[in-house]
Every structure is written in structure tokens, then in C-alpha cells.
Amino acid sequence: MGKDAARAEWDNPMQFVLACVSYAVGLGNVWRFPYLCQMHGGGGFLIPYMLMLVLLGVPLFYMELAIGQKMRLGSIGAWRAISPYLGGVGLASVVTSMYLCLYYNVINAWSFWYLFHSFQSVLPWAECPVNSNLTGHVEECERATPTQYFFYRETLDISGSIEENGGIHMGQALCLLLAWIIVYLFIVKGVKSTGKVVYFTATFPYLVLIIYLIRGVTLHGAINGVKYMFTPKMEQLANPTTWINAATQVFFSLGLGFGSLIAFASYNQYNNNFEKQAIVVSMVNSSTSIFASIVTFSIYGFKATFNYESCLERVRLLLLNTFDLAEDTISLENVNHWIAELNRTQPEQFASLGGRLETCDLEAELDTAVEGTGLAFIVYSEAIKNMPVSQLWSVLYFIMLLLLGMGSMLGNVIAVITPLSDLKFISHYMSTKTLNGLVCLFCLLLGLGFTTRSGNYWFTMFNDYGATFSLLFIVLIEVITVCYIYGIKRFEKDVKDMLGHRLNWYWKIMLAGVSPILLIALFIFYIVNYIQGGTPTYQAWNKELGKSVVTEYPPYAQAFIGLLLASSVCCIPLTALYTYCKKRNLASGKRERTVSTVSA
Amino acid sequence: MLYRPKADTIRRRWQNNSHICFFTKPESNLCWVKCTKRIACNKQLHDLQHGQEGMLVWVLFLLCQGVAPALTQDLCQRDAPNGYKVRISLKTALGEDAYEWNQSEMFFFRATMAFAMRRHFQMETYNVDNIILCVQTSRVSFWFVVTSPDNATMLIPKADVEKAVRMARHRINNAFLLSDRTLEFLGIHPTLAAPVNPDTPPWLIVFGVVIGAVCAGIIALLVSSLLQKRRKEKGMTEDGQDEEDMQVKGVENGINLDGTYNRGFTDDDRFTKL
């Protein structure tokens, strides 16, 4: 076909696979999967995860790749081609990707900030800064921990609630600018430049993960964490939340519904064997999740053991100082024995210790499960500062986070740019480079809102609501459209045309039957959860207490959440309505013309 | 400092302000004379022996048992209002190389404190005898008070002692191979090191380097593609389906901008019929 004979293409299929891997393997593999593993029974979580991958993840991934490769257009054009009434699905994908672009790069900005601050002799989050009259440390830092203080005060300069706005944090704004400039550099020439970049962004994180694995398992106490993670607690399998979380993790980890996969596949050769590639990418993504969890848990184990031993040391010192015993009488091993002993022999003096005596519990330290930005920037940096040569490990770690984030960012931006550049009226007026530059500039300017003092709260709002519910809806409509409106028979014919062999029964059953049912179940669960949850809340940082407190969103913020959800979901019915009206006008216009010629 | 009197001195009680001295016969329990300086004590004894004080009172030696211990605690005691508690953690600081804390070390400490007092007040009269230690424990902790060089019964106020210690803290730490954390004066907080504030924060330097490199990369890419376009425009004569040609004409994203697409030659069945 003359129209798309000159469409840009990947230099070889490997670039496509690496682009998909780079997109799918992102920060969620590092900070969400280990958390879920810990919450839902350690090694036992792998069972629902693998099952959901086979039933839900791989078939939907396959479907998106097939659509992109067949239609050779971005998501708007592709869905319009499949069914003009449901062209809104593509538009909804673009809107959701746009939201993701806006806030996702802020994480990269934070990674840059931490990376640049690692080039110091003492890591700035290792110690509390001294106060102005040099008598002690800053109080906010004393109440919280140095790593929390560095994240909330020096990185974000966070305000007390979402209502209190403040100025833009210049350091953050500069890092965000840098992040967007790098994204532009990667996509400036379209797939030609992206194809070269993904060789690096897809493979280097694995190198860093391997280095970290070796460092992690050799740390003191790492084995406690790994053992804790892999001990399966099978009773968690009876909990429905486990299965729901497994399904959502598979779903979001593969990046379905954003339109990125369709965009990537649209640059493929027509006869590319995407079936094998879909399976390969899904497997690589899952194994990376498991690999990253081993690394995370060895670091957790190290941190928990370190904190436990520090706690024991503090108790030992307290006992030595209160009872004036010689230094070598109490050692770390017999602290608990001595507590009992001293309580028995000198009860009054022991009672005077009061609340200062802490209980040290390794299990409790391991139980503190954290996910998301808190894990990546607070917990991990706390663990890193205690490692020997911490600057090197810090630099490596944040470079890895950057690569993972940049790789996913590429997919997000391409999901927005490809459909836009397919639209004739845009491509007529400007070249790819200008379009790419404008999109990056637009996202940068809007993204500056996330660098203000209350920016982190808006970030959390976008993260929790911007892409979760709408994606489920989009993918549900996608599956129903492809299987029932477009028809599974026509889909089969297209696939046979591209691949040369018929659709396997596995794909047919999953796509037409199992996946839609699972998606509907997930969708219903989300709605029920949302209704039952009451007013949506967020964690606000309280500087007097030195910790986060649960706060309700103010009414205008709740309205904004509703707007976020509605804006992407409504694209589908609105476009259908618009197409219907347009066709009706066109049809009635034709009828009028035929009538007039006859009469004339 | 405690001074042990000679064996058969007279049983006397001599009261001077808050200072009480007792002596007994050698057969019974000996009491100790509480004196701050050997010279002063000898003088007191001499005066006692020669009956030159007007306020000597005879007393029963029974009182010795009860009052004498309290006597010795008088100036230096636990929770003394003008005293400080010192805590030393030798094993934490030095591990295997830790030296033993014995009487010589205690003497060294007193000498160091006397030095600190001399340094602060710039009076050469402070001496080892002005520093009184008591309440030693096996933790290695003890209390100390500082008496005035002019008047052995008067204690130097807490605030002055604190100033002296603060000034000489570094020297005191180094004398014992310890640090602020392992040689603690309870109540005197160590002055924290002033933060080093460089003119340009180091992160800005790294940031500048990275953003410079990235901008240079973008400019290089844009300029090279611009040059390529100009070169092709100048040297282009043949028309063809050259891929580079297509790129030059701006068909990177697959849309041919040169002509209108003729729909007559497509088959429409990939578009769903309405």
C-alpha cells in the first residue's frame, strides 16, 4: 500500500524486542512486586502471579502487538480502523499516556537529584544536618530519620498538605528539565534514534542488578531477608486480595492499554513473528520481577539486621550506663539475658529506665513492608548509606533507577507521539522533530507543577488514580471490540496473513473467554473497593511529628480525581456518539443529494 | 585528698565553717582528716597540736563512725551541684588496644583537668590537688569537682568548669586517645563541627556537566540532519524510491507529503463497514 510503504521501521526485530523489554521492565518490577510478594505470602505469591500471567497477561499482550503490527498506525488510527465507533479507545489511551508522561518523568528527576548528590564524601542522607547554633541537629531530622528528612525536606521541600502550595523547587525543576531533554534526545529522530537507545536502556539495568545481587547476598544479614521472602505462607492464597493484586500487577507491569505496544508494533515489518516475541517479553518481564525481588529482599534483610543490631547496641549502652557495669560484661548476644537478670536483681533501678528501654525485634524490622517511591528513595538509600563505599553503590543504584525509568518513559512518550504524527493535519504542518519537541516542552511545562512544594501530593494522586481504573476499562473495551465487534474470525485471518499459521486454540480461548471474564471481575472489584473506601485519603508529611499522617483530600481535589477518571473514560462513549452523528449527517446529506438529482 | 594523721594525735574536733576534722587513737577505727591541701592540713594539725585555735572542742570518738564517711563525701559526691559525671568507654574506642584504667590514669585525668582550668582562667595556680574525683565505678565513670586554688573548701561553679572543658575538649580527648563520644562529660554537649558550605553545591557541578553533554548531543544530531538535508537538496537529480530521498522530503513518519493519496487503488476491506 502506497500510504504506509515509507513508514519508519525498526532496524531489526531485536530492537523491537528490546524496546518492549525496556518499556515493560520498569520501576514497578523493583518497587511493587517485592512488596506484593511480602504482603501475600512470599514464595507462594508466585502461583497466582504466574497463573494470571498465563490467563490474562500474555494473551492481551499478544493482542495489542497483533493490532499494532496489522494496522501499522498508532492507537487512535488503529482503533478507528478496527471499528470507527470505538475509535475513542485509542483517544482514551492517548489521554492516559499523556497523564502518565506528565508525572512519570518526575520520578526520573528525583533519581537525577539523588544521583548528583551521591558525588560527595559523605552522603547527604547519611547524617542529620546541624542546626544554626551548632548545638545539635535540626529537630525535624531528629524526629524523623536522616533519609526521610533528606527526601521530604531537601528533595521535595514538602508542605503540610495538598492545600498549601508553595514555590517551585529550583533543583527539582532543573532535574526535570534535564530528564525531558534526555527523553527528547532519545526520540528526536523517531524509531531510528529510539532503536539505538534501547540497546542500552534494556540491557544495562541487568548488569547493575547482577552487581547488586552479588553485593546484596554478601551483605551481613541479607540471608534473613531472602529467607523471610521465600518462606511461602500458603494461607494467603485463600485471600481474594492476593489474586486481585496478582492480576493488577501482571496487567500494569506489562503496560497494557497505554497504546505503547501498539505504537511499537506499528513500526514492525508486516510478517514479524510477534507471537514468539510476546511470550519472550512477558517471560523476561516476570523473571526480572523475581530477580529484582531477590535483590530487594537481600537489601531489606541487611537493613533490618543493621537496625536490629543498632537497637541492641543502644540497649546495651543504656544498661551499661545506668547500672555502671564494666564495658565487656554485656555483649550483643546476652543483652536479653542481662535485661532479665537486672530486672530480677535491681528492680527499682530497672524501673527507673522507664520508657527508654526499647524492644528489639528482627521480625518487626523485616515486617515493615514499603512500596513505591518510599521504598526506592527512603528505604533503599538508608540501606545503601550503611554499606562500605556507599557513594559507589548509591551512584550505581540511581543509574539503574534512571535507566528503568527512562526506558518506560520512552514507551509512554512514543504512545503519545505516534498517534499524533499519524494524524494528517499535524503531520502536514510540522516535521517529526518539531512535533516531538513540542510534546516534550508541553509535558515539561505542565510537569513543573509537580515540582512545587505540594507537588508530591498531586503526584500521588496521579499515580493512584490517573491510570489505574481507566486502563482496566480501556483494555476491557479493547478485548470485547477485537473479539466480538471486529470478530475473532477476522482477527484470526489477519494473524494468519501476518504470521503464516492459524491462531492457536490457547489464544482463542483466552482472548474470547477467559480474559474478558477476568477483566470484568477486576473492574467490578475496583468499583466496589472505591465505593467502600469512603473519602479518598493521602499521606501528608507532618513536620512537627516527623512522620506521615493520613489526611482526606479536600473537595476540589476529589473533584479533580473524578475529572482524571472521567476524562479518559468518557472519550470512548463521546467518540462513538460523535461518529454516529457524523455518519448520520453524512447519510442524510447523501440522501438529499440523490433526491435533488432525481427531481432535477 | 585525704590525709591520714599520725598515730597518737589528740582527739580534737575543730570546726571551721563547714569543715570538720576528727582524730582518734590508733587502737580504734581511724578517721580521716578531710583536707584539700597537704600544706593546709599540716598547718591545721600543727595548730591543733599547739592549741593555737580558739575554737577547739573535745568530742567523743563515737561520732567518728557516723559523721566521718559523710565528711569525705562533702565536696565531691554523686549529683554534686557543682560537679560533673565523666564516663569513659575505653573498649568501644580502642578495642584490642585499650589500656587499663588505673590510679595513674586517674592522676593523668586530674592533671589534664588542671591544665584545662589553667588554660581557661589563665591562672598558673591550678594544681592536681584542686581536682577531686569520687564515686568510681567499673563502667569507668566517676564524678569530679574543682576547688579554687586560693580556698580549698570553695568549689568552682559549674558554668566555669563547663567553659574550661569546652575550650580544652579537643586536647582532653586526644590526651586519652578518645573522642567526644567515648569520653563523655554528662551535661556538657560537644560542639558539633560546623558544616562545610562550598560556594557551588557539588551536585550543581555534576548537573552542569551532564546537561552540557546532553545539549551538545542534541545540537550535534540536529545540525547533522540539517546538513544532510541541505546536501541532498543540492545534489538531488534523480527521482526515485530512495529511502533517503523520502526522509529528506519529510516522510519519516510514513505520510507522503508530496502528493494526494489516490483512494482508487486501495482495497478497503480492512476498514470495518458501517
Side-chain angles (χ1 to χ4, degrees):
Chain A
M1 300 199 179
K3 186 170 178 179
D4 24 61
R7 188 178 181 77
E9 279 181 358
W10 302 105
D11 287 338
N12 53 53
M14 190 56 159
Q15 283 187 357
F16 168 66
V17 172
L18 286 178
C20 287
V21 165
S22 169
Y23 170 65
V25 172
L27 295 168
N29 299 63
V30 168
W31 73 33
R32 175 106 176 127
F33 186 82
Y35 168 77
L36 287 177
C37 246
Q38 191 177 3
M39 293 267 81
H40 297 296
F45 182 71
L46 291 177
I47 298 176
Y49 183 76
M50 284 300 166
L51 207 58
M52 287 299 167
L53 188 69
V54 164
L55 293 179
L56 191 68
V58 179
L60 291 173
F61 197 81
Y62 176 92
M63 181 189 79
E64 292 219 355
L65 291 188
I67 292 168
Q69 196 168 303
K70 171 75 188 168
M71 300 304 170
R72 308 200 62 165
L73 288 171
S75 52
I76 299 182
W79 289 105
R80 216 168 24 193
I82 287 182
S83 163
Y85 286 124
L86 288 170
V89 172
L91 194 60
S93 292
V94 170
V95 169
T96 315
S97 286
M98 175 64 88
Y99 291 151
L100 193 68
C101 280
L102 284 179
Y103 80 80
Y104 202 83
N105 228 5
V106 176
I107 304 176
N108 290 333
W110 295 338
S111 302
F112 271 120
W113 172 269
Y114 270 81
L115 175 67
F116 296 150
H117 276 83
S118 307
F119 290 97
Q120 289 176 18
S121 52
V122 173
L123 291 176
W125 55 85
E127 289 165 353
C128 279
V130 288
N131 60 14
S132 42
N133 45 2
L134 299 184
T135 50
H137 300 293
V138 174
E139 294 119 41
E140 192 182 347
C141 193
E142 293 276 314
R143 285 180 224 122
T145 62
T147 39
Q148 280 180 320
Y149 176 79
F150 183 76
F151 183 62
Y152 287 112
R153 189 54 46 215
E154 301 204 11
T155 310
L156 299 176
D157 196 13
I158 205 165
S159 62
S161 73
I162 201 170
E163 288 130 349
E164 298 161 31
N165 294 317
I168 293 181
H169 187 295
M170 278 323 291
Q172 286 302 304
L174 286 175
C175 291
L176 187 65
L177 173 70
L178 177 64
W180 275 111
I181 291 180
I182 292 186
V183 169
Y184 182 63
L185 177 68
F186 287 168
I187 57 165
V188 66
K189 282 178 126 184
V191 270
K192 290 293 170 207
S193 53
T194 312
K196 310 252 181 340
V197 163
V198 290
Y199 280 118
F200 184 65
T201 60
T203 52
F204 197 73
Y206 286 100
L207 184 67
V208 180
L209 269 175
I210 291 175
I211 295 176
Y212 250 95
L213 182 72
I214 298 173
R215 169 76 274 205
V217 296
T218 53
L219 285 171
H220 168 66
I223 199 73
N224 295 333
V226 179
K227 219 169 26 179
Y228 184 78
M229 175 198 159
F230 279 112
T231 322
K233 299 180 195 60
M234 286 304 188
E235 60 275 6
Q236 281 286 338
L237 288 183
N239 183 2
T241 321
T242 310
W243 296 86
I244 306 262
N245 279 341
T248 42
Q249 174 61 16
V250 162
F251 190 82
F252 293 125
S253 179
L254 287 173
L256 304 165
F258 283 106
S260 314
L261 297 170
I262 296 179
F264 280 150
S266 69
Y267 297 113
N268 270 342
Q269 300 260 355
Y270 190 69
N271 297 100
N272 179 43
N273 185 2
F274 62 89
E275 181 172 357
K276 203 171 63 165
Q277 290 167 344
I279 299 177
V280 163
V281 172
S282 311
M283 289 303 145
V284 166
N285 184 44
S286 307
S287 21
T288 311
S289 291
I290 299 173
F291 185 46
S293 330
I294 300 180
V295 175
T296 304
F297 274 91
S298 53
I299 293 186
Y300 258 157
F302 165 70
K303 182 183 96 75
T305 310
F306 186 86
N307 285 349
Y308 173 67
E309 287 182 354
S310 306
C311 175
L312 281 180
E313 178 67 29
R314 285 195 299 273
V315 170
R316 171 179 164 267
L317 265 179
L318 181 67
L319 289 176
L320 282 180
N321 292 346
T322 319
F323 295 94
D324 284 321
L325 306 161
E327 272 179 285
D328 42 6
T329 43
I330 308 184
S331 71
L332 285 183
E333 286 81 41
N334 50 21
V335 168
N336 290 321
H337 162 78
W338 270 98
I339 291 178
E341 181 76 25
L342 288 166
N343 197 5
R344 196 173 52 85
T345 49
Q346 299 176 55
E348 340 70 42
Q349 209 173 1
F350 193 84
S352 75
L353 281 175
R356 286 179 298 154
L357 188 67
E358 318 170 43
T359 34
C360 301
D361 187 4
L362 185 60
E363 283 281 320
E365 292 280 343
L366 283 171
D367 261 334
T368 53
V370 189
E371 59 161 337
T373 53
L375 169 63
F377 294 103
I378 299 179
V379 171
Y380 256 106
S381 42
E382 197 179 309
I384 288 172
K385 77 171 193 220
N386 297 324
M387 293 184 194
V389 200
S390 46
Q391 290 85 352
L392 169 70
W393 299 108
S394 179
V395 166
L396 263 181
Y397 172 67
F398 288 110
I399 287 183
M400 179 186 77
L401 277 192
L402 268 173
L403 286 172
L404 291 173
M406 281 297 175
S408 302
M409 202 54 209
L410 282 180
N412 296 333
V413 173
I414 288 182
V416 173
I417 287 180
T418 308
L420 285 181
S421 61
D422 287 339
L423 291 174
K424 280 202 280 286
F425 64 84
I426 288 186
S427 58
H428 187 65
Y429 287 116
M430 56 178 96
S431 70
T432 340
K433 293 194 193 61
T434 325
L435 174 67
N436 294 352
L438 281 178
V439 170
C440 289
L441 186 66
F442 177 71
C443 290
L444 168 67
L445 291 175
L446 284 187
L448 283 178
F450 293 111
T451 58
T452 57
R453 292 194 61 211
S454 56
N456 190 42
Y457 301 128
W458 292 100
F459 170 85
T460 315
M461 183 200 285
F462 269 74
N463 194 20
D464 290 338
Y465 299 103
T468 44
F469 179 80
S470 11
L471 272 184
L472 278 173
F473 186 66
I474 290 172
V475 177
L476 181 62
I477 303 285
E478 281 186 10
V479 160
I480 292 177
T481 309
V482 167
C483 294
Y484 299 106
I485 299 180
Y486 186 70
I488 194 89
K489 291 255 177 295
R490 258 164 84 191
F491 184 68
E492 217 176 330
K493 198 179 81 156
D494 290 336
V495 168
K496 184 156 184 286
D497 204 23
M498 285 192 283
L499 291 182
H501 59 261
R502 293 177 63 86
L503 252 188
N504 202 352
W505 59 266
Y506 160 73
W507 302 112
K508 274 194 274 204
I509 295 177
M510 293 305 154
L511 279 176
V514 180
S515 306
I517 295 173
L518 278 176
L519 279 172
I520 291 175
L522 268 182
F523 191 68
I524 293 175
F525 168 78
Y526 255 86
I527 296 181
V528 165
N529 211 21
Y530 191 70
I531 295 173
Q532 274 186 344
T535 333
T537 57
Y538 66 103
Q539 301 268 8
W541 177 256
N542 185 325
K543 68 188 250 205
E544 276 82 45
L545 295 175
K547 51 192 250 268
S548 301
V549 288
V550 175
T551 327
E552 276 185 4
Y553 278 116
Y556 69 85
Q558 293 181 34
F560 192 79
I561 293 177
L563 188 67
L564 270 181
L565 292 172
S567 56
S568 44
V569 165
C570 284
C571 289
I572 303 176
L574 283 177
T575 318
L577 198 65
Y578 170 74
T579 319
Y580 176 70
C581 291
K582 203 167 76 168
K583 294 294 179 224
R584 222 178 51 170
N585 285 342
L586 208 68
S588 61
K590 256 197 228 154
R591 240 179 289 128
E592 277 171 20
R593 258 183 280 125
T594 45
V595 163
S596 64
T597 47
V598 162
S599 62
Chain B
M1 192 196 84
L2 303 174
Y3 175 70
R4 188 180 166 169
K6 286 219 181 69
D8 52 347
T9 38
I10 312 159
R11 249 186 291 158
R12 302 279 174 108
R13 178 185 156 190
W14 175 45
Q15 192 171 340
N16 183 9
N17 296 333
S18 60
H19 194 107
I20 304 175
C21 293
F22 283 92
F23 311 95
T24 60
K25 288 226 173 218
E27 299 83 37
S28 53
N29 289 329
L30 282 164
C31 276
W32 305 111
V33 171
K34 187 85 184 213
C35 304
T36 50
K37 274 188 180 176
R38 189 178 284 273
I39 303 159
C41 214
N42 282 339
K43 182 180 180 309
Q44 287 156 15
L45 261 181
H46 182 262
D47 291 337
L48 276 173
Q49 280 168 343
H50 293 83
Q52 278 173 18
E53 301 302 312
M55 288 164 46
L56 291 172
V57 174
W58 286 93
V59 88
L60 295 166
F61 72 92
L62 274 168
L63 284 172
C64 228
Q65 317 300 327
V67 188
L71 194 276
T72 56
Q73 305 284 322
D74 192 36
L75 280 175
C76 175
Q77 54 192 324
R78 186 190 286 271
D79 299 323
N82 279 321
Y84 277 105
K85 181 171 179 180
V86 177
R87 192 188 290 146
I88 296 184
S89 314
L90 283 172
K91 298 234 169 29
T92 315
L94 303 166
E96 295 282 310
D97 304 325
Y99 47 82
E100 195 203 321
W101 190 262
N102 50 25
Q103 290 298 323
S104 313
E105 303 287 345
M106 294 290 270
F107 179 81
F108 187 23
F109 181 81
R110 291 163 66 204
T112 321
M113 285 308 303
F115 161 74
M117 297 303 292
R118 281 197 185 195
R119 209 161 161 230
H120 176 63
F121 288 104
Q122 271 142 21
M123 274 160 52
E124 299 289 316
T125 49
Y126 277 97
N127 214 325
V128 184
D129 305 327
N130 289 116
I131 319 289
I132 310 175
L133 308 182
C134 56
V135 196
Q136 272 202 75
T137 65
S138 54
R139 168 71 177 87
V140 191
S141 69
F142 48 85
W143 284 81
F144 76 93
V145 290
V146 183
T147 59
S148 160
D150 310 315
N151 188 343
T153 56
M154 209 174 73
L155 293 178
I156 305 284
K158 206 163 170 163
D160 292 333
V161 176
E162 177 172 344
K163 280 193 213 125
V165 167
R166 267 191 202 279
M167 234 180 77
R169 190 64 189 266
H170 187 63
R171 300 290 297 272
I172 300 174
N173 285 350
N174 280 351
F176 291 94
L177 308 175
L178 298 172
S179 68
D180 278 345
R181 213 173 50 86
T182 41
L183 169 59
E184 299 167 73
F185 287 84
L186 298 192
I188 304 181
H189 296 296
T191 320
L192 298 164
V196 178
N197 272 331
D199 292 326
T200 15
W203 75 270
L204 213 50
I205 300 174
V206 188
F207 170 79
V209 167
V210 173
I211 204 170
V214 172
C215 287
I218 289 183
I219 292 174
L221 264 177
L222 290 175
V223 164
S224 74
S225 58
L226 204 68
L227 283 177
Q228 232 180 12
K229 200 157 80 169
R230 266 212 215 119
R231 228 181 296 133
K232 287 293 172 242
E233 268 172 13
K234 272 197 215 145
M236 194 190 83
T237 46
E238 77 268 40
D239 47 355
Q241 302 308 308
D242 215 19
E243 217 179 24
E244 279 174 329
D245 267 358
M246 298 282 228
Q247 267 189 350
V248 162
K249 288 185 194 159
V251 282
E252 278 175 298
N253 57 358
I255 310 296
N256 198 334
L257 295 177
D258 286 326
T260 36
Y261 178 59
N262 192 339
R263 286 192 178 275
F265 292 106
T266 50
D267 42 333
D268 277 299
D269 58 356
R270 70 183 200 135
F271 292 92
T272 307
K273 304 256 183 311
L274 283 163

